[in-house]
Amino acid sequence: MEYGVAPESPSAANEWLEKNKGKFNLYFDGKWQTPLSKKYFDTINPANKKTLAKIAEANATDVDKAVKAAKKALPKWVKLGAHGRARYLYAIARQIQKHSRLFAVLESMDNGKPIRESRDIDIPLVARHFYHHAGWAQLRDTELKDYKEIGVIAQIIPWNFPLLMLAWKIAPALAMGNTVVLKPAEFTSLTALLFAELCDEIGLPAGVVNIITGDGKTGAAMVNHPSVDKIAFTGSTDVGRIIRRATAGTGKKISLELGGKSPFIVFEDADLDSVVEGVVDAIWFNQGQVCCAGSRLLVQESIAERLYAKIRNRMEKLRVGDSLDKSIDIGAIVAPVQLQVIEKLVQQGVDEGGNMWQPSWSCPVEGYFYPPTLFTDVTPAATIAQVEIFGPVLVAMTFRTHPEAIRLANNTRYGLAASIWTENINLALDVAPKIKAGTVWINCTNVFDAASGFGGYRESGFGREGGKEGLYEYVKLRSEESHTAKKTALKKNAASESSSSDLPAIDRTTKLYVGGKQVRPDSGYSLTIKNGAGKSIATVGLGNRKDIRNAVEAAHAAESWTSMSGHARAQVLYYIAENLYIREDEFIKRLMQFGLSKTDASKEVSMSIERIYTYAAYADKYDGSVHHTLSRNVTLAMPEPLGVLGIVCPEEAPLLAFVSSVIPAIAMGNRVVVVPSETAPLSATDLYQIFETSDLPGGVVNIVTGVRDELSAVLANHDDVDGLWYFGTLEGSKLIENAAAENMKRTWVNFGKQRDWSENHAGEHEFFLRNATQIKNIWIPYGE
Ligand code: NAI
Ligand code: MG
């Protein structure tokens, strides 16, 4: 049967372009403004290569003006309050629905994506996102009362889902009381400009939303602007790295949604016809230009040939063509440069021995089209099995056993999403927690909703968008403002000689604590520790790079801690508290050696015991939620530990700060490598014996004493460290954030500001647990 064309009319979109005379300026401070650069660039329709409009190119001065407008608008927007902001977000949602067809047609023309997708998926999700966040705006003061807005947010988005990415960025930012400057991608600015018009129409106060256009240079000016408080970015991992490095040590918050190479795992008992439709949605939706595309097909060997045959059969029937034709399945690739990337990688796949298959028909020639492509016989190390292609190219590999499937799935630098296909629920739910990815779809794929968080593990970036978990990217703890750059270093000259008389003498050298054993430092050197009066009282091991590596290895080996139940972990923590209580006097005396009065030392020890109780309590209570998503799924939002976490303790509060950071981290199932206070490490090394007598499995807590910034640099550069908390200097913070860009490890640094560890909120808060975990959303079919 031949299909006829079923074109969607471009006339309303063309009228809108004509009304604007085919030329668009920048939108900031509530007005359309001509760019100071006087430069404009073309945006094309990739399905016919025709120019649609001229778009202003903002330079650094334009960016500065837009940021200033956002900053000026901030106080009033904050003062407007939760309900006022909710009203505006609701109005935006309504307005998008009213203009939904215009948005859909314009999106398809500018991006090349099929009208069926922009009409039925992108734009409805955009409206849904604003409605959902109108609700969060309303509830902010009750649901997030310890938190406040961050300030001016710079948002930089890609071209694959232009308006949807705008919604994902702007809705939560405004809902939490921030103002924004957003830059769409240079290939697809039009719907963002229509959105700016709509903000004007509903009377959104000037400066709350500012839309500026331009390419990477404009983006870089936004990133580097000193008045920007946070950057939210979606795009390539390379640019994500640039942003991580550019903002290191500045105190700017960032969230990064980067690339992926997501596995689509098919077990032999899967329903293969559903699988084939799943594959179509996974890799041919939006021409495969989807960050979470199921681009690696992992098939159980026994069914591989049968599945490939079915897929090829289906591919033969897919239709590629004009984005406004309602009967096409695959539209145009966004731009010639992207088409070249795809062609080059496919050629490389062939050169490296992959078996490439494409349908017998050929693509139309008027636009930038690429046919659906399947590679089989690909080795896991091949370029096309590792690198994100961002096009309609599926790369298939086989596995024999379930463990092999998991290994293959995790054999990637990325961790954005995964899709698991099997009729066996036990198998699906056994595999889901073992895959390192932010979203796991069971017997479905590429399902999204505003109520669910979305975001990556590893080099897919960090932060979540959507769901309650996404809101935390746009708020900060109110107590953060009380942290000060002033140093309250350990008191000098206050220690009395007598207070140390019954403690071990100088000849005792404390070793390192690695894998549950006290070990000598690799260097063979030690560090002399002085008391508050400046007298040498002990020596500790001088740890080095090798010791950190051994500690990281030991932490990795202690994986069973992570699979223990929260209850079982809590028992160990209570036991630690109990043993600390029994030896309270000894710990008090130790603190007194470093200048604390007896009262203060007693207080620090008893608070430490109390903190351990708090996090033991949380161990089985800090749990996830089931999101109310639109589709027939239960969407489980599960907090998972980061894995192996480095913790660099501050100088002050040598016992309390150690306990306040290490205990929440391990309560959540992380294994840690800790660098204790450099000048007063003895409270930490005294804990060895407590850990040994409290059934804490070896390798869960590893302690390496030595020069703090030297050791933390090793942790920051270590690829097998998943996260790093650092409470030290501003320079140290910068170094850590910079180094972390390499493997995109999660960092939490203090920019040289001290918190008062004895103050609850600063020293004890759910926030510690949030930083020790990341949310995985698991979508499971449910109900009718
Ligand atoms: P890109 O990362 O260069 O562009 C994304 C956005 O960042 C655009 O708005 C761009 O103008 C801006 N940008 C570029 N350089 C910047 C800089 N130095 N500082 C600040 N902003 C900057 O992505 P591109 O070049 O369009 O696509 C290249 C590859 O990136 C694709 O082939 C794909 O693999 C990946 N990608 C991933 C996306 C995702 O959703 N995770 C989306 C788009 C691309
Ligand atoms: Mg375009």
Side-chain angles (χ1 to χ4, degrees):
M1 190 178 77
E2 278 296 305
Y3 289 94
V5 285
E8 171 77 32
S9 166
S11 58
N14 283 334
E15 268 168 40
W16 180 76
L17 292 169
E18 276 158 29
K19 187 188 87 186
N20 284 287
K21 303 195 173 57
K23 188 170 164 182
F24 291 87
N25 286 322
L26 309 169
Y27 180 78
F28 57 82
D29 204 12
K31 291 187 272 298
W32 291 96
Q33 323 243 13
T34 40
L36 290 169
S37 68
K38 302 265 184 304
K39 284 193 201 149
Y40 293 81
F41 57 92
D42 288 347
T43 191
I44 59 149
N45 178 341
N48 59 23
K49 305 186 186 176
K50 289 194 182 124
T51 298
L52 291 168
K54 293 203 170 302
I55 311 286
E57 184 185 305
N59 66 17
T61 316
D62 295 310
V63 168
D64 178 54
K65 288 183 160 183
V67 171
K68 285 195 172 123
K71 196 166 174 161
K72 191 178 76 187
L74 187 66
K76 264 198 183 156
W77 183 242
V78 170
K79 206 159 155 252
L80 181 64
H83 179 64
R85 290 190 293 267
R87 295 274 283 259
Y88 280 112
L89 283 163
Y90 185 78
I92 292 175
R94 294 275 300 150
Q95 205 71 358
I96 284 167
Q97 275 190 322
K98 278 188 215 157
H99 299 295
S100 61
R101 194 53 74 93
L102 175 58
F103 271 117
V105 173
L106 200 59
E107 196 78 301
S108 281
M109 287 166 71
D110 203 7
N111 166 283
K113 62 171 69 201
I115 182 70
R116 273 196 299 128
E117 292 177 7
S118 51
R119 185 192 63 199
D120 299 343
I121 299 171
D122 292 50
I123 309 304
L125 275 172
V126 170
R128 161 83 178 134
H129 222 78
F130 280 102
Y131 279 125
H132 184 75
H133 285 87
W136 282 125
Q138 177 72 25
L139 298 177
R140 199 202 84 166
D141 297 346
T142 38
E143 290 287 316
L144 292 113
K145 52 179 172 301
D146 290 351
Y147 295 86
K148 63 177 294 194
E149 72 287 342
I150 295 175
V152 174
I153 318 282
Q155 307 186 309
I156 300 170
I157 58 171
W159 39 259
N160 52 346
F161 293 92
L163 193 67
L164 185 58
M165 289 302 106
L166 173 149
W168 282 23
K169 296 277 179 294
I170 290 186
L174 296 193
M176 295 298 104
N178 305 280
T179 56
V180 306
V181 178
L182 177 135
K183 187 191 84 61
E186 51 273 40
F187 302 133
T188 53
S189 306
L190 290 174
T191 47
L193 296 164
L194 178 59
F195 179 84
E197 254 185 29
L198 175 155
C199 291
D200 226 38
E201 261 170 48
I202 64 155
L204 189 72
V208 171
V209 167
N210 306 279
I211 306 285
I212 55 172
T213 45
D215 60 11
K217 287 192 294 302
T218 311
M222 293 166 72
V223 169
N224 294 321
H225 196 291
S227 299
V228 163
D229 300 301
K230 181 208 157 97
I231 294 134
F233 172 78
T234 300
S236 60
T237 299
D238 289 345
V239 175
R241 262 200 198 98
I242 293 173
I243 293 175
R244 169 72 291 179
R245 292 193 176 119
T247 55
T250 61
K252 285 177 190 163
K253 296 190 190 297
I254 61 173
S255 50
L256 304 173
E257 302 282 349
L258 311 173
K261 191 76 185 178
S262 298
F264 186 106
I265 312 165
V266 185
F267 290 100
E268 60 190 358
D269 65 351
D271 168 4
L272 292 194
D273 292 325
S274 305
V275 166
V276 172
E277 290 317 302
V279 166
V280 172
D281 286 341
I283 190 68
W284 293 308
F285 169 52
N286 205 30
Q287 298 71 250
Q289 303 167 137
V290 181
C291 48
C292 53
S295 53
R296 279 189 301 145
L297 176 64
L298 311 181
V299 198
Q300 199 149 13
E301 204 176 67
S302 51
I303 52 155
E305 285 311 322
R306 202 147 55 90
L307 180 61
Y308 295 160
K310 277 177 183 280
I311 293 174
R312 289 190 189 110
N313 202 18
R314 183 74 175 86
M315 288 166 76
E316 190 65 33
K317 296 196 188 81
L318 291 171
R319 307 188 74 214
V320 172
D322 182 7
S323 52
L324 291 188
D325 181 348
K326 286 177 228 168
S327 64
I328 60 141
D329 302 296
I330 301 177
I333 301 300
V334 71
V337 30
Q338 189 62 24
L339 187 60
Q340 283 156 19
V341 170
I342 298 168
E343 284 166 348
K344 190 167 151 250
L345 282 165
V346 166
Q347 188 54 49
Q348 207 166 339
V350 173
D351 295 346
E352 288 179 19
N355 181 358
M356 200 242 325
W357 191 90
Q358 290 175 337
S360 61
W361 43 263
S362 48
C363 289
V365 292
E366 304 81 49
Y368 302 110
F369 295 103
Y370 198 83
T373 303
L374 171 69
F375 269 98
T376 51
D377 303 328
V378 177
T379 59
T383 307
I384 53 166
Q386 292 294 333
V387 172
E388 181 177 47
I389 301 176
F390 228 62
V393 184
L394 180 62
V395 174
M397 282 161 274
T398 58
F399 63 86
R400 290 201 178 127
T401 63
H402 301 169
E404 198 188 341
I406 292 158
R407 265 201 311 279
L408 260 182
N410 287 332
N411 178 17
T412 168
R413 299 179 289 138
Y414 296 112
L416 197 51
S419 175
I420 302 168
W421 296 75
T422 167
E423 292 298 290
N424 177 349
I425 185 163
N426 297 324
L427 174 59
L429 295 181
D430 175 52
V431 173
K434 293 179 180 147
I435 306 263
K436 297 195 175 87
T439 299
V440 175
W441 290 294
I442 294 175
N443 291 331
C444 59
T445 194
N446 276 345
V447 201
F448 310 98
D449 186 58
S452 168
F454 180 87
Y457 282 32
R458 309 204 272 192
E459 289 185 33
S460 291
F462 42 79
R464 294 289 177 268
E465 297 188 292
K468 190 172 184 189
E469 57 262 40
L471 302 178
Y472 293 98
E473 303 301 328
Y474 288 102
V475 289
K476 63 178 180 194
L477 268 178
R478 289 184 194 281
S479 61
E480 224 178 90
E481 287 179 348
S482 67
H483 304 172
T484 116
K486 219 170 56 214
K487 282 247 180 315
T488 51
L490 297 165
K491 288 184 201 128
K492 297 275 180 236
N493 303 322
S496 67
E497 291 292 316
S498 61
S499 67
S500 60
S501 60
D502 44 3
L503 281 158
I506 177 85
D507 60 327
R508 182 167 160 214
T509 296
T510 306
K511 296 177 188 160
L512 314 178
Y513 189 59
V514 175
K517 293 192 186 68
Q518 301 194 29
V519 297
R520 279 178 214 293
D522 169 69
S523 69
Y525 287 102
S526 37
L527 196 65
T528 303
I529 302 302
K530 294 180 174 158
N531 70 3
K535 183 168 172 248
S536 302
I537 51 166
T539 58
V540 297
L542 182 67
N544 67 10
R545 177 178 299 272
K546 178 112 193 300
D547 298 309
I548 292 281
R549 282 205 211 119
N550 292 343
V552 171
E553 215 170 284
H556 271 283
E559 211 171 350
S560 62
W561 179 251
T562 300
S563 44
M564 266 164 78
S565 69
H567 170 76
R569 284 198 294 267
Q571 295 314 306
V572 174
L573 300 185
Y574 284 125
Y575 202 2
I576 292 174
E578 196 180 312
N579 282 324
L580 183 55
Y581 177 68
I582 293 169
R583 297 171 58 176
E584 198 172 22
D585 286 346
E586 199 182 307
F587 278 84
I588 291 172
K589 280 183 187 148
R590 182 64 90 194
L591 290 169
M592 287 170 68
Q593 280 189 309
F594 291 93
L596 264 69
S597 70
K598 181 146 196 198
T599 323
D600 286 349
S602 308
K603 198 173 141 213
E604 180 157 346
V605 176
S606 58
M607 278 198 98
S608 299
I609 294 170
E610 214 181 293
R611 291 255 155 99
I612 301 173
Y613 262 72
T614 299
Y615 294 114
Y618 266 129
D620 65 351
K621 290 173 196 67
Y622 184 75
D623 51 18
S625 51
V626 179
H627 287 313
H628 280 286
T629 46
L630 290 187
S631 48
R632 36 173 290 278
N633 291 94
V634 273
T635 309
L636 300 179
M638 310 266 290
E640 288 190 346
L642 298 184
V644 171
L645 189 61
I647 299 181
V648 182
C649 295
E651 286 309 298
E652 73 277 8
L655 178 66
L656 186 60
F658 182 101
V659 164
S660 306
S661 48
V662 170
I663 301 296
I666 64 172
M668 294 296 100
N670 294 286
R671 292 93 68 192
V672 297
V673 176
V674 195
V675 178
S677 168
E678 183 177 317
T679 48
L682 302 178
S683 298
T685 59
D686 289 344
L687 286 167
Y688 297 172
Q689 284 169 4
I690 297 220
F691 293 149
E692 278 161 5
T693 51
S694 306
D695 293 344
L696 183 72
V700 175
V701 176
N702 305 278
I703 301 175
V704 181
T705 49
V707 179
R708 185 185 51 195
D709 280 0
E710 234 173 78
L711 299 176
S712 53
V714 181
L715 280 168
N717 285 305
H718 200 304
D719 266 354
D720 291 331
V721 173
D722 304 298
L724 185 51
W725 295 358
Y726 172 89
F727 305 101
T729 59
L730 177 59
E731 307 76 63
S733 300
K734 181 170 181 176
L735 188 147
I736 301 274
E737 289 193 326
N738 203 43
E742 201 51 45
N743 78 339
M744 283 293 165
K745 62 172 69 71
R746 277 113 189 91
T747 55
W748 177 22
V749 303
N750 71 337
F751 304 107
K753 291 194 175 163
Q754 286 186 355
R755 56 185 63 228
D756 179 357
W757 292 93
S758 66
E759 224 260 306
N760 281 349
H761 267 251
E764 175 187 306
H765 197 274
E766 200 193 68
F767 191 66
F768 285 81
L769 305 177
R770 197 171 298 292
N771 272 303
T773 53
Q774 54 193 337
I775 303 279
K776 172 186 276 180
N777 275 281
I778 307 172
W779 298 64
I780 308 165
Y782 182 77
E784 282 289 306

